[in-house]
Amino acid sequence: MRWDALFEDMEAQLAAGERLDFDAEVAERTRADAAAVELADRLRGSLGLRIGIHLASGTLFEGVLSHVGSQSMVLDEPRHQMLIPQASAVRYTGLSRLAVTEHSMVRQRLGLASSLRALSRDRASLTVLVARGPAEAVLHGVIDRVGQDFLDLALTHAGEDRRAANVRQTATIPFAALAGLRSSRGADS
């Protein structure tokens, strides 16, 4: 009878060791899977959620995440939409733990410039936040031209249409300085 207890004890120790090995392998695979997740995947996993995007300047944008591109995202605010380059964000709040990969090669190739060209084509009146470090400038206007790494913004007063008489000057803005672009709706923006 002592042999039965000995074999049962050995079996229990072997099962416990196998369980520890299994748990360690699961933990290692989980860490490896997490290491492969990109921020854009987490952002796509948060579509439809209310999130916060913090900029280096201290500005916080809050809204419902409605689109995630390869280099930018769109937040729906109560009265506007906000296009924010991913490079301008320094911190996010409210993201889901879910990660969703982008399988469309076309969407993967559409970057910030593509979004800006669409805004230029639509002649959208915008409020553009330009930031470098702790300072921000707010410009109003319409995108006239989009280059590879810059845009030309025809500066107008808030709410004014882009007409030759309304354009005060043209500002050339490097993409690296863009903090965000907000859709404008008349003078209330």
Side-chain angles (χ1 to χ4, degrees):
M1 295 220 189
R2 294 178 56 175
W3 290 103
D4 290 340
L6 176 66
F7 288 127
E8 287 175 10
D9 184 47
M10 288 174 44
E11 286 177 12
Q13 288 179 17
L14 183 61
E18 288 175 352
R19 181 66 185 172
L20 287 174
D21 289 344
F22 178 77
D23 290 346
E25 183 177 342
V26 166
E28 182 59 31
R29 286 186 183 186
T30 300
R31 282 190 292 277
D33 288 347
V37 173
E38 294 182 2
L39 178 58
D41 297 339
R42 287 280 307 280
L43 290 168
R44 277 188 292 279
S46 300
L47 284 169
L49 296 180
R50 182 170 182 75
I51 68 166
I53 301 174
H54 302 259
L55 306 183
S57 63
T59 299
L60 166 65
F61 297 114
E62 292 182 303
V64 175
L65 185 62
S66 63
H67 174 78
V68 177
S70 64
Q71 297 174 326
S72 61
M73 62 208 123
V74 175
L75 276 185
D76 292 340
E77 298 176 322
R79 295 171 46 167
H80 308 281
Q81 283 191 311
M82 188 81 195
L83 175 71
I84 303 170
Q86 290 175 16
S88 69
V90 295
R91 182 167 50 103
Y92 298 89
T93 53
L95 293 185
S96 167
R97 294 182 60 82
L98 179 66
V100 176
T101 57
E102 179 60 72
H103 297 290
S104 169
M105 293 304 290
V106 172
R107 285 189 187 149
Q108 288 177 10
R109 286 193 302 263
L110 294 177
L112 177 61
S114 299
S115 299
L116 296 172
R117 284 186 187 97
L119 291 168
S120 175
R121 181 193 64 232
D122 293 345
R123 309 305 289 161
S125 181
L126 304 168
T127 300
V128 179
L129 283 80
V130 180
R132 283 318 251 169
E136 247 176 35
V138 178
L139 305 172
H140 301 282
V142 175
I143 299 173
D144 274 347
R145 185 170 92 166
V146 178
Q148 183 175 349
D149 59 354
F150 71 93
L151 64 87
D152 285 340
L153 185 70
L155 298 176
T156 63
H157 292 287
E160 285 185 343
D161 290 331
R162 198 244 180 265
R163 293 190 171 82
N166 295 342
V167 176
R168 296 178 293 136
Q169 64 183 22
T170 300
T172 300
I173 305 167
F175 288 174
L178 289 175
L181 297 95
R182 178 176 280 135
S183 62
S184 298
R185 297 200 178 127
D188 63 338
S189 50

